[in-house]
Amino acid sequence: MIELSPQQLPALSHWFPTGSPGPVALAEHVLTTGVGLWWADRPHLPRVLAVSCGDHVLLRGDPGVLAQDALTRFAGRYVETPARFWPSLGSAFERVVPWERMLYVHQPQAPVSLPRTPRGVTVRRLTPQDVPALAAMDSENAWIHASWGGSGGLAASGHGWAAFAKGRVLSVACTYFLGSAYEDIAVVTVPDRRRERLALACVAGLTADIQARGHTASWCCSRDNRPSRLLAWTAGFRLTREYVHHVTGRAMAHEVGHSAAEPSHHRARPRIVMTG
């Protein structure tokens, strides 16, 4: 797979339909914000197209044209792709974990009981002045701003809400992938301030903003993540469909013969781990 510049992109409606909720909004997000990369099997008339942002990848096209190691650059990613690509993923990585996911869409008419903000906590929209506080979050929570290119991008985007206490970020809800009709959101709360309904307060502010923009919020989470599913329901989201994406491990080591382009047929069997 080779990297494409935005000027090289084919017409994308065939590859990634617009105006859809959930992970497919990633393509619109990259096109709109410029945060992310495009990949193809060849620069002209591509047969396989991928778009990556943060740790997520959308992959479409004809897997039959791919070389054995074509997907190895997507090691350690969450890959959403049709089932026809699954054998190619299994051949490219030492470990591939299918992850059952649930897609919720916000229903404005759903009853939502807004929480009372704890004493000393302020819940508001993020601003560019909040970059230091966002950057100070633990590294394990840095994924929350990865789709905006970092804390500065999220803080300046106008697409995030946070709960603050004494200058510290306690919880963040943000548009993770910005689509033309749907905004797929994400939320994180620091471990020592959970169970205070701070995430619900942030999500409520964010969904109100999204609705004011004429968009609809969507929410994706693991089928096994009961706290996230409960939070989604409490915030007025309702289940729309289920899907599977794959978590890739390390790239498979391929032996090199007489030519660097010659793939080896002697490789370890990929480990496929089923979840759910």
Side-chain angles (χ1 to χ4, degrees):
M1 299 282 280
I2 60 174
E3 184 179 342
L4 298 180
S5 68
Q7 293 75 24
Q8 292 176 294
L9 292 179
L12 294 177
S13 59
H14 166 69
W15 299 91
F16 306 108
T18 59
S20 298
V24 74
L26 183 157
E28 292 185 291
H29 178 85
V30 175
L31 197 63
T32 300
T33 67
V35 180
L37 297 171
W38 300 91
W39 310 89
D41 63 310
R42 59 188 184 186
H44 302 292
L45 299 177
R47 297 159 297 179
V48 176
L49 190 65
V51 55
S52 61
C53 183
D55 291 333
H56 292 260
V57 179
L58 296 181
L59 181 62
R60 299 290 188 271
D62 177 12
V65 305
L66 291 175
Q68 188 177 13
D69 60 350
L71 301 180
T72 55
R73 67 176 64 253
F74 302 131
R77 304 290 186 92
Y78 303 98
V79 181
E80 194 277 316
T81 191
R84 61 181 177 273
F85 274 93
W86 295 356
S88 297
L89 292 175
S91 297
F93 305 101
E94 293 181 358
R95 179 184 174 97
V96 179
V97 181
W99 200 350
E100 295 176 331
R101 308 280 290 172
M102 307 187 81
L103 169 60
Y104 294 79
V105 171
H106 188 247
Q107 306 295 323
Q109 71 277 13
V112 177
S113 177
L114 294 179
R116 176 178 297 178
T117 303
R119 183 185 299 271
V121 174
T122 300
V123 179
R124 59 170 173 79
R125 188 182 299 108
L126 288 168
T127 72
Q129 288 69 43
D130 296 319
V131 173
L134 275 177
M137 295 180 70
D138 290 342
S139 58
E140 65 181 18
N141 294 326
W143 64 268
I144 194 68
H145 46 65
S147 66
W148 292 95
S151 55
L154 174 58
S157 70
H159 289 77
W161 278 66
F164 296 85
K166 297 181 179 180
R168 180 192 180 205
V169 173
L170 308 180
S171 184
V172 178
C174 69
T175 296
Y176 203 72
F177 295 134
L178 174 62
S180 59
Y182 291 89
E183 299 186 26
D184 200 56
I185 74 170
V187 61
V188 67
T189 303
V190 298
D192 61 308
R193 299 303 296 262
R194 291 173 183 166
R195 301 181 185 277
E196 297 182 29
R197 308 187 83 193
L198 299 177
L200 178 59
C202 293
V203 170
L206 176 63
T207 53
D209 274 0
I210 291 172
Q211 189 173 355
R213 287 192 283 269
H215 291 175
T216 302
S218 64
W219 178 305
C220 298
C221 66
S222 168
R223 182 179 180 184
D224 297 328
N225 191 340
R226 188 175 182 276
S228 184
R229 292 169 55 188
L230 179 59
L231 177 57
W233 180 272
T234 305
F237 291 75
R238 297 295 181 262
L239 181 64
T240 298
R241 68 178 179 88
E242 299 184 36
Y243 67 99
V244 175
H245 72 195
H246 289 73
V247 185
T248 59
R250 292 185 302 176
M252 192 75 70
H254 298 291
E255 296 178 4
V256 177
H258 296 292
S259 168
E262 180 183 350
S264 168
H265 295 287
H266 304 283
R267 59 183 185 273
R269 182 185 180 93
R271 184 179 180 189
I272 309 293
V273 181
M274 298 302 296
T275 63

